[in-house]
Every structure is written in structure tokens, then in C-alpha cells.
Amino acid sequence: MREGRPHWWGHRERLRERFLRAGAKGLQDYELLELLLSYAIPRKDVKPQAKELLRRFGSLAGVMDASPEEVQEVKGIGPRAAALLRLAKEMGEVYLGERMRGVDVLSSPSRVVDFCLFRLKGEGEEKFMVIYLNVKNEVMDYEVIQEGTVDRSVVYPRRVAEKALRRRAASVIVVHNHPSGHPDPSPEDKRITRELVEALKPLEIRLLDHIIVGKRGYFSFREKGIL
């Protein structure tokens, strides 16, 4: 150890070197968190905080899905560290969203699924997202059009149709999450899917898929042959 440096300094440098050499696969989950937290808390050993975050939220995904208020309940995690954790997740979402744009969803469906899982898995409230596609089935844009439980049968078909027309979309994929965890469609989910098909048909806009995201994975109406 160099004179004047704390005992954990060399450990932190070795973590950084291992990450640059092997990527995330070269580190354990608590080490990834430890390395990330070190940029917000540079003058303290943050291994205890990293391990406590994993213990409290169950997994790395659970930590990233937690709100800034929730992570700050862990001793030693302040606003700067909470903001950095949120920033890491938001940048991941932007990255996956940009990689999805221009992709033919029929030839590369996994990119859309990966984005949907990253965007909505672990959300504490229900969100309804629309992905807009051109005539080549390439992603043009996406947006969350509703948050929280509403009367979907009244609001969603009309709003989806209006927004798809505004973007001159040839087809759409709709996505929503089940905060309870299980992605299997409810009778209401099946009904809203039929109503969306009927609402979009006169506009010559196709509902390409309806994806439901849960903590235990996802359900695709297209993959199951329902659409």
C-alpha cells in the first residue's frame, strides 16, 4: 500500500483493472456495485454498502429498480450515490432504446424484448408503452402513454390510434407490465388486445404484438400465436 492511502485503495484499483480487462462478467455483483458506488463515494470503503444493497433488494436488478428514496435507506448511501445508481439504469435504457431503433422487429425480436424487460420489469406501478414501426417493421420511436391503473378499454385504443396516426406508423407493438409479477395475460388484457386490433384496422395500422412484462419474464401474444 502506498503511504497515506487507505487499505481499500489498492482493492478499488484492482476492481477497476479487472472490469476494464474482463467487463462485468469478471466481477461479482457486489463488486460491480462497489465499483459504481466508488465514483459517488470516493473517500470511503463502500463494500459494506454494496453488500447491504444486494441483501436488502435481493439482486443487482432489484437494486437498480429501487427508487432513490429506497436505496438511501441503506446507511452510507446518500443523494449522490442514489443519483448515480439511477443514472446507470437510465443510461442502460437509452442505450437499448437506441439499439432498437431502425431494427426489423421480425428478424430481431430479441432486441425489442430485451428493451421491454429492461424498461418495465421491476416497475412498481403499471405502465403502458407503445412502440411505433414503419412499413419495413423497423422501430421509429417509443413512448409510455399511461402510468397507473386506468379504464384501459376506454382510453388505450383511442390514444394508441391517435398517436400512431400522428407518427404515420404502419404498425405498433404495445407493451405493459404486471407489477404483481406474473406476465400471463388476464381476461382484460385479452379483451384490450382485441379492441386495439379493431380500433387500428380502419386506419390500416397493424397491431404487431402485445407484450406483457412481469418479474418472472414476459408474455408475447405474437409468439403464442394469438396475434
PDB file of all heavy atoms in Angstrom, residues 198-217:
ATOM      1  N   GLU A 198     -59.238  -3.951 -33.450  1.00  0.00           N
ATOM      2  CA  GLU A 198     -60.409  -3.383 -34.116  1.00  0.00           C
ATOM      3  C   GLU A 198     -60.290  -1.870 -34.283  1.00  0.00           C
ATOM      4  O   GLU A 198     -60.737  -1.313 -35.291  1.00  0.00           O
ATOM      5  CB  GLU A 198     -61.673  -3.729 -33.324  1.00  0.00           C
ATOM      6  CG  GLU A 198     -62.013  -5.211 -33.332  1.00  0.00           C
ATOM      7  CD  GLU A 198     -62.150  -5.766 -34.745  1.00  0.00           C
ATOM      8  OE1 GLU A 198     -62.820  -5.107 -35.578  1.00  0.00           O
ATOM      9  OE2 GLU A 198     -61.589  -6.838 -35.013  1.00  0.00           O
ATOM     10  N   ALA A 199     -59.700  -1.189 -33.310  1.00  0.00           N
ATOM     11  CA  ALA A 199     -59.559   0.265 -33.395  1.00  0.00           C
ATOM     12  C   ALA A 199     -58.555   0.676 -34.463  1.00  0.00           C
ATOM     13  O   ALA A 199     -58.705   1.717 -35.113  1.00  0.00           O
ATOM     14  CB  ALA A 199     -59.133   0.826 -32.036  1.00  0.00           C
ATOM     15  N   LEU A 200     -57.518  -0.137 -34.664  1.00  0.00           N
ATOM     16  CA  LEU A 200     -56.457   0.203 -35.614  1.00  0.00           C
ATOM     17  C   LEU A 200     -56.766  -0.249 -37.041  1.00  0.00           C
ATOM     18  O   LEU A 200     -56.242   0.323 -38.002  1.00  0.00           O
ATOM     19  CB  LEU A 200     -55.137  -0.422 -35.155  1.00  0.00           C
ATOM     20  CG  LEU A 200     -54.552   0.129 -33.846  1.00  0.00           C
ATOM     21  CD1 LEU A 200     -53.400  -0.748 -33.364  1.00  0.00           C
ATOM     22  CD2 LEU A 200     -54.080   1.567 -34.019  1.00  0.00           C
ATOM     23  N   LYS A 201     -57.616  -1.256 -37.182  1.00  0.00           N
ATOM     24  CA  LYS A 201     -57.885  -1.830 -38.504  1.00  0.00           C
ATOM     25  C   LYS A 201     -58.410  -0.807 -39.509  1.00  0.00           C
ATOM     26  O   LYS A 201     -57.916  -0.753 -40.649  1.00  0.00           O
ATOM     27  CB  LYS A 201     -58.864  -3.000 -38.378  1.00  0.00           C
ATOM     28  CG  LYS A 201     -59.074  -3.763 -39.678  1.00  0.00           C
ATOM     29  CD  LYS A 201     -60.112  -4.863 -39.509  1.00  0.00           C
ATOM     30  CE  LYS A 201     -59.659  -5.895 -38.490  1.00  0.00           C
ATOM     31  NZ  LYS A 201     -60.639  -7.015 -38.368  1.00  0.00           N
ATOM     32  N   PRO A 202     -59.397   0.049 -39.169  1.00  0.00           N
ATOM     33  CA  PRO A 202     -59.888   1.036 -40.159  1.00  0.00           C
ATOM     34  C   PRO A 202     -58.819   2.030 -40.596  1.00  0.00           C
ATOM     35  O   PRO A 202     -58.935   2.637 -41.662  1.00  0.00           O
ATOM     36  CB  PRO A 202     -61.022   1.748 -39.411  1.00  0.00           C
ATOM     37  CG  PRO A 202     -61.412   0.822 -38.314  1.00  0.00           C
ATOM     38  CD  PRO A 202     -60.159   0.111 -37.922  1.00  0.00           C
ATOM     39  N   LEU A 203     -57.788   2.197 -39.777  1.00  0.00           N
ATOM     40  CA  LEU A 203     -56.705   3.133 -40.094  1.00  0.00           C
ATOM     41  C   LEU A 203     -55.580   2.453 -40.866  1.00  0.00           C
ATOM     42  O   LEU A 203     -54.579   3.090 -41.186  1.00  0.00           O
ATOM     43  CB  LEU A 203     -56.146   3.724 -38.794  1.00  0.00           C
ATOM     44  CG  LEU A 203     -57.170   4.374 -37.857  1.00  0.00           C
ATOM     45  CD1 LEU A 203     -56.503   4.804 -36.561  1.00  0.00           C
ATOM     46  CD2 LEU A 203     -57.848   5.547 -38.537  1.00  0.00           C
ATOM     47  N   GLU A 204     -55.755   1.154 -41.136  1.00  0.00           N
ATOM     48  CA  GLU A 204     -54.740   0.342 -41.821  1.00  0.00           C
ATOM     49  C   GLU A 204     -53.426   0.330 -41.047  1.00  0.00           C
ATOM     50  O   GLU A 204     -52.338   0.367 -41.621  1.00  0.00           O
ATOM     51  CB  GLU A 204     -54.531   0.830 -43.259  1.00  0.00           C
ATOM     52  CG  GLU A 204     -55.782   0.699 -44.121  1.00  0.00           C
ATOM     53  CD  GLU A 204     -55.540   1.089 -45.571  1.00  0.00           C
ATOM     54  OE1 GLU A 204     -54.513   1.758 -45.846  1.00  0.00           O
ATOM     55  OE2 GLU A 204     -56.364   0.728 -46.424  1.00  0.00           O
ATOM     56  N   ILE A 205     -53.559   0.295 -39.730  1.00  0.00           N
ATOM     57  CA  ILE A 205     -52.404   0.159 -38.840  1.00  0.00           C
ATOM     58  C   ILE A 205     -52.518  -1.199 -38.157  1.00  0.00           C
ATOM     59  O   ILE A 205     -53.569  -1.545 -37.609  1.00  0.00           O
ATOM     60  CB  ILE A 205     -52.362   1.283 -37.789  1.00  0.00           C
ATOM     61  CG1 ILE A 205     -52.231   2.642 -38.481  1.00  0.00           C
ATOM     62  CG2 ILE A 205     -51.204   1.071 -36.814  1.00  0.00           C
ATOM     63  CD1 ILE A 205     -52.352   3.820 -37.533  1.00  0.00           C
ATOM     64  N   ARG A 206     -51.458  -1.947 -38.180  1.00  0.00           N
ATOM     65  CA  ARG A 206     -51.477  -3.311 -37.654  1.00  0.00           C
ATOM     66  C   ARG A 206     -50.943  -3.362 -36.223  1.00  0.00           C
ATOM     67  O   ARG A 206     -49.942  -2.708 -35.907  1.00  0.00           O
ATOM     68  CB  ARG A 206     -50.623  -4.210 -38.548  1.00  0.00           C
ATOM     69  CG  ARG A 206     -50.622  -5.677 -38.156  1.00  0.00           C
ATOM     70  CD  ARG A 206     -49.696  -6.447 -39.075  1.00  0.00           C
ATOM     71  NE  ARG A 206     -49.588  -7.843 -38.688  1.00  0.00           N
ATOM     72  CZ  ARG A 206     -48.683  -8.686 -39.169  1.00  0.00           C
ATOM     73  NH1 ARG A 206     -47.810  -8.262 -40.077  1.00  0.00           N
ATOM     74  NH2 ARG A 206     -48.640  -9.940 -38.762  1.00  0.00           N
ATOM     75  N   LEU A 207     -51.626  -4.111 -35.375  1.00  0.00           N
ATOM     76  CA  LEU A 207     -51.084  -4.407 -34.048  1.00  0.00           C
ATOM     77  C   LEU A 207     -50.192  -5.630 -34.196  1.00  0.00           C
ATOM     78  O   LEU A 207     -50.669  -6.750 -34.347  1.00  0.00           O
ATOM     79  CB  LEU A 207     -52.206  -4.682 -33.043  1.00  0.00           C
ATOM     80  CG  LEU A 207     -51.745  -5.033 -31.622  1.00  0.00           C
ATOM     81  CD1 LEU A 207     -50.972  -3.885 -30.993  1.00  0.00           C
ATOM     82  CD2 LEU A 207     -52.929  -5.423 -30.742  1.00  0.00           C
ATOM     83  N   LEU A 208     -48.884  -5.404 -34.170  1.00  0.00           N
ATOM     84  CA  LEU A 208     -47.935  -6.484 -34.444  1.00  0.00           C
ATOM     85  C   LEU A 208     -47.745  -7.407 -33.242  1.00  0.00           C
ATOM     86  O   LEU A 208     -47.537  -8.607 -33.402  1.00  0.00           O
ATOM     87  CB  LEU A 208     -46.588  -5.897 -34.867  1.00  0.00           C
ATOM     88  CG  LEU A 208     -45.632  -6.838 -35.594  1.00  0.00           C
ATOM     89  CD1 LEU A 208     -46.242  -7.314 -36.901  1.00  0.00           C
ATOM     90  CD2 LEU A 208     -44.301  -6.137 -35.858  1.00  0.00           C
ATOM     91  N   ASP A 209     -47.824  -6.842 -32.039  1.00  0.00           N
ATOM     92  CA  ASP A 209     -47.664  -7.678 -30.847  1.00  0.00           C
ATOM     93  C   ASP A 209     -48.161  -6.921 -29.628  1.00  0.00           C
ATOM     94  O   ASP A 209     -48.259  -5.689 -29.630  1.00  0.00           O
ATOM     95  CB  ASP A 209     -46.190  -8.060 -30.640  1.00  0.00           C
ATOM     96  CG  ASP A 209     -46.004  -9.290 -29.751  1.00  0.00           C
ATOM     97  OD1 ASP A 209     -47.013  -9.803 -29.218  1.00  0.00           O
ATOM     98  OD2 ASP A 209     -44.855  -9.740 -29.605  1.00  0.00           O
ATOM     99  N   HIS A 210     -48.513  -7.674 -28.620  1.00  0.00           N
ATOM    100  CA  HIS A 210     -48.820  -7.141 -27.294  1.00  0.00           C
ATOM    101  C   HIS A 210     -47.945  -7.929 -26.330  1.00  0.00           C
ATOM    102  O   HIS A 210     -48.091  -9.145 -26.201  1.00  0.00           O
ATOM    103  CB  HIS A 210     -50.308  -7.321 -26.973  1.00  0.00           C
ATOM    104  CG  HIS A 210     -50.704  -6.742 -25.647  1.00  0.00           C
ATOM    105  ND1 HIS A 210     -52.005  -6.751 -25.192  1.00  0.00           N
ATOM    106  CD2 HIS A 210     -49.976  -6.136 -24.664  1.00  0.00           C
ATOM    107  CE1 HIS A 210     -52.060  -6.177 -24.004  1.00  0.00           C
ATOM    108  NE2 HIS A 210     -50.838  -5.804 -23.660  1.00  0.00           N
ATOM    109  N   ILE A 211     -47.017  -7.235 -25.692  1.00  0.00           N
ATOM    110  CA  ILE A 211     -46.060  -7.878 -24.791  1.00  0.00           C
ATOM    111  C   ILE A 211     -46.388  -7.473 -23.358  1.00  0.00           C
ATOM    112  O   ILE A 211     -46.579  -6.290 -23.067  1.00  0.00           O
ATOM    113  CB  ILE A 211     -44.613  -7.471 -25.137  1.00  0.00           C
ATOM    114  CG1 ILE A 211     -44.261  -7.928 -26.555  1.00  0.00           C
ATOM    115  CG2 ILE A 211     -43.630  -8.060 -24.129  1.00  0.00           C
ATOM    116  CD1 ILE A 211     -42.915  -7.424 -27.051  1.00  0.00           C
ATOM    117  N   ILE A 212     -46.462  -8.461 -22.487  1.00  0.00           N
ATOM    118  CA  ILE A 212     -46.691  -8.212 -21.064  1.00  0.00           C
ATOM    119  C   ILE A 212     -45.418  -8.584 -20.310  1.00  0.00           C
ATOM    120  O   ILE A 212     -44.883  -9.682 -20.481  1.00  0.00           O
ATOM    121  CB  ILE A 212     -47.877  -9.032 -20.531  1.00  0.00           C
ATOM    122  CG1 ILE A 212     -49.142  -8.721 -21.330  1.00  0.00           C
ATOM    123  CG2 ILE A 212     -48.107  -8.734 -19.051  1.00  0.00           C
ATOM    124  CD1 ILE A 212     -50.318  -9.618 -20.978  1.00  0.00           C
ATOM    125  N   VAL A 213     -44.935  -7.664 -19.501  1.00  0.00           N
ATOM    126  CA  VAL A 213     -43.697  -7.858 -18.756  1.00  0.00           C
ATOM    127  C   VAL A 213     -44.015  -8.077 -17.284  1.00  0.00           C
ATOM    128  O   VAL A 213     -44.824  -7.354 -16.697  1.00  0.00           O
ATOM    129  CB  VAL A 213     -42.771  -6.630 -18.912  1.00  0.00           C
ATOM    130  CG1 VAL A 213     -41.561  -6.746 -17.993  1.00  0.00           C
ATOM    131  CG2 VAL A 213     -42.334  -6.483 -20.360  1.00  0.00           C
ATOM    132  N   GLY A 214     -43.394  -9.084 -16.702  1.00  0.00           N
ATOM    133  CA  GLY A 214     -43.525  -9.340 -15.269  1.00  0.00           C
ATOM    134  C   GLY A 214     -42.172  -9.654 -14.671  1.00  0.00           C
ATOM    135  O   GLY A 214     -41.174  -9.783 -15.388  1.00  0.00           O
ATOM    136  N   LYS A 215     -42.123  -9.798 -13.377  1.00  0.00           N
ATOM    137  CA  LYS A 215     -40.858 -10.117 -12.719  1.00  0.00           C
ATOM    138  C   LYS A 215     -40.367 -11.505 -13.102  1.00  0.00           C
ATOM    139  O   LYS A 215     -39.179 -11.804 -12.981  1.00  0.00           O
ATOM    140  CB  LYS A 215     -41.022 -10.014 -11.201  1.00  0.00           C
ATOM    141  CG  LYS A 215     -41.281  -8.598 -10.711  1.00  0.00           C
ATOM    142  CD  LYS A 215     -41.450  -8.557  -9.202  1.00  0.00           C
ATOM    143  CE  LYS A 215     -41.723  -7.131  -8.732  1.00  0.00           C
ATOM    144  NZ  LYS A 215     -41.938  -7.058  -7.264  1.00  0.00           N
ATOM    145  N   ARG A 216     -41.281 -12.360 -13.567  1.00  0.00           N
ATOM    146  CA  ARG A 216     -40.916 -13.731 -13.933  1.00  0.00           C
ATOM    147  C   ARG A 216     -40.754 -13.906 -15.446  1.00  0.00           C
ATOM    148  O   ARG A 216     -40.847 -15.021 -15.952  1.00  0.00           O
ATOM    149  CB  ARG A 216     -41.966 -14.706 -13.398  1.00  0.00           C
ATOM    150  CG  ARG A 216     -42.109 -14.677 -11.882  1.00  0.00           C
ATOM    151  CD  ARG A 216     -43.130 -15.696 -11.414  1.00  0.00           C
ATOM    152  NE  ARG A 216     -43.290 -15.662  -9.968  1.00  0.00           N
ATOM    153  CZ  ARG A 216     -44.178 -14.923  -9.336  1.00  0.00           C
ATOM    154  NH1 ARG A 216     -44.995 -14.150 -10.032  1.00  0.00           N
ATOM    155  NH2 ARG A 216     -44.269 -14.939  -8.026  1.00  0.00           N
ATOM    156  N   GLY A 217     -40.548 -12.809 -16.169  1.00  0.00           N
ATOM    157  CA  GLY A 217     -40.348 -12.930 -17.605  1.00  0.00           C
ATOM    158  C   GLY A 217     -41.351 -12.109 -18.387  1.00  0.00           C
ATOM    159  O   GLY A 217     -41.777 -11.044 -17.948  1.00  0.00           O
TER     160      GLY A 217
END
